[in-house]
Amino acid sequence: MSMAQASGRVAARKEKKKESLAKKDWKVRQSKQHNKGVKVTLTGKQKVLNILLHLVMLIMVLYCVIPLIWLLLSATKTNEGLYNSPGLWFAKDNVFFQNIKDTFQFQDGIYPRWLFNTLFYAIVAGVGSSIFATFAGYAIATMKFPGRGALLWITLIFMSIPTTVITVPLFLMYSKIGFINNPWSVIVPQLSSPFGLYLMIIYCQSSIPISLVEAAKLDGANTWRIFWKIAFPLVSPGFVTVLLFALVGVWNNYFLPLIMLQDTRDYPLTVGLNVWMKMGGDATLHSVPNNLILTGSFIAIIPLIIAFLFLQKYWQSGLTAGSVKQ
């Protein structure tokens, strides 16, 4: 080995060592910036606005959290303890698990049936309406066909109409064809979601490059393959966002199942718990302890909390779609 080759190898090692140290230093600086954040100096006016903003946010958080805390604490009390203890503190006796057991066994176990009905309606109607909204939103956003503009206008018009306005005409129409008093009379109307459709149209327009679709067509891919392999991975955050809105909407729906269903065993939790409240206020009927109604209400919100915690990362990315242009 000549002297020139040896000196070249030494220089290369030094250069590689410098690059390694530079990368390590960059990672350390990025880590410090990520952990500590960038210091920002606020003016006096900005500091006052910052404090006011945090106070408003604190009031909003308390407004949302205090009823949940009250509901959780009430579910741990006996019926007498509800009136003999502070609302935002525990009673002398903690009967949380006994309340859950009594709630599930009250009236020959009607509560588990209502809980199952609510899950069934939410999953079938929520997932179904999200799938339909995704298919239709993709078609309107990426395809050109007669009536495309009219569909957009119809979607916007139906978004402005409250669902309760069309519920009674829907009941009259269903009653003429004998389609009431069965679970599908609650599910079918909720399979269409104008808001979900509009959201998916906007999401598909901002997330799917038309050039990508055209390139896939030139490569010989059919419409279903383009949608499933190319478009759906790009719009999956929007799909999850629409799914969450649909689940919450179906879960909390009260008026539609109230007028469509007559058999109490087909009721969802919203209507069933209201029946218990009416029974508790009517002396001629069998009284329902209020602690069981509150325990049932507390159990009813747990599935929605789990769904939000499990899908929140997709939901957040879906809500911010289109906010940043690259």
Side-chain angles (χ1 to χ4, degrees), residues 109-125 182-183 186-187 190 250-251 257 261 263-272:
I110 191 68
Y111 185 85
R113 178 62 185 256
W114 291 341
L115 181 60
F116 172 79
N117 291 340
T118 308
L119 286 169
F120 178 71
Y121 297 151
I123 292 173
V124 176
N182 68 78
V186 176
I187 293 173
Q190 297 183 96
V250 178
W251 193 276
L261 302 174
D263 189 351
T264 56
R265 294 187 63 81
D266 291 332
Y267 283 174
L269 283 172
T270 49
V271 183

Side-chain angles (χ1 to χ4, degrees), residues 305-320:
I305 293 175
I306 294 173
F308 267 84
L309 292 177
F310 182 69
L311 300 172
Q312 63 172 337
K313 60 180 180 181
Y314 302 103
W315 181 50
Q316 289 171 353
S317 60
L319 286 178
T320 55

Side-chain angles (χ1 to χ4, degrees), residues 221-237:
N222 57 32
T223 304
W224 171 251
R225 190 175 181 83
I226 294 172
F227 170 79
W228 186 245
K229 294 292 184 181
I230 298 174
F232 188 74
L234 295 173
V235 300
S236 55

Side-chain angles (χ1 to χ4, degrees), residues 54-310:
H54 280 79
L55 284 176
V56 172
M57 292 298 295
L58 178 63
I59 293 171
M60 292 176 67
V61 169
L62 292 175
Y63 179 79
C64 297
V65 171
I66 286 178
L68 293 178
I69 295 174
W70 179 83
L71 185 62
L72 171 62
L73 295 174
S74 299
T76 66
K77 303 174 183 178
T78 61
N79 200 44
E80 293 75 18
L82 287 174
Y83 307 100
N84 300 330
S85 63
L88 293 176
W89 195 246
F90 294 96
K92 185 178 179 181
D93 299 323
N94 190 330
V95 290
F96 179 66
F97 294 105
Q98 184 63 41
N99 281 345
I100 292 177
K101 181 181 177 182
D102 293 342
T103 302
F104 275 81
Q105 292 179 346
F106 193 72
Q107 279 194 330
D108 299 325
I110 191 68
Y111 185 85
R113 178 62 185 256
W114 291 341
L115 181 60
F116 172 79
N117 291 340
T118 308
L119 286 169
F120 178 71
Y121 297 151
I123 292 173
V124 176
V127 175
S129 66
S130 302
I131 292 174
F132 290 150
T134 305
F135 285 161
Y138 170 75
I140 294 174
T142 61
M143 300 177 185
K144 293 182 180 179
F145 52 88
R148 178 174 175 268
L151 279 176
L152 280 172
W153 279 106
I154 291 172
T155 304
L156 289 173
I157 291 171
F158 272 91
M159 277 180 62
S160 62
I161 299 175
T163 54
T164 51
V165 173
I166 62 173
T167 301
V168 173
L170 204 62
F171 168 75
L172 296 175
M173 186 177 69
Y174 279 9
S175 62
K176 283 190 176 181
I177 61 175
F179 194 60
I180 59 172
N181 198 26
N182 68 78
W184 291 104
S185 62
V186 176
I187 293 173
V188 171
Q190 297 183 96
L191 288 175
S192 62
S193 171
F195 173 73
L197 173 58
Y198 184 74
L199 190 61
M200 286 309 301
I201 292 172
I202 300 298
Y203 201 90
C204 289
Q205 286 177 341
S206 61
S207 302
I208 304 174
I210 298 299
S211 58
L212 194 62
V213 177
E214 296 296 332
K217 287 180 181 177
L218 290 176
D219 289 340
N222 57 32
T223 304
W224 171 251
R225 190 175 181 83
I226 294 172
F227 170 79
W228 186 245
K229 294 292 184 181
I230 298 174
F232 188 74
L234 295 173
V235 300
S236 55
F239 173 79
V240 175
T241 305
V242 173
L243 176 62
L244 271 175
F245 279 113
L247 288 177
V248 174
V250 178
W251 193 276
N252 293 328
N253 199 340
Y254 172 76
F255 191 49
L256 181 65
L258 176 67
I259 68 170
M260 288 291 183
L261 302 174
Q262 296 176 0
D263 189 351
T264 56
R265 294 187 63 81
D266 291 332
Y267 283 174
L269 283 172
T270 49
V271 183
L273 289 172
N274 191 51
V275 170
W276 276 7
M277 287 184 65
K278 289 181 179 177
M279 290 172 63
D282 192 340
T284 61
L285 299 174
H286 183 65
S287 178
V288 181
N290 287 330
N291 62 328
L292 298 191
I293 299 174
L294 293 172
T295 304
S297 302
F298 174 71
I299 297 171
I301 65 174
I302 292 177
L304 281 182
I305 293 175
I306 294 173
F308 267 84
L309 292 177
F310 182 69

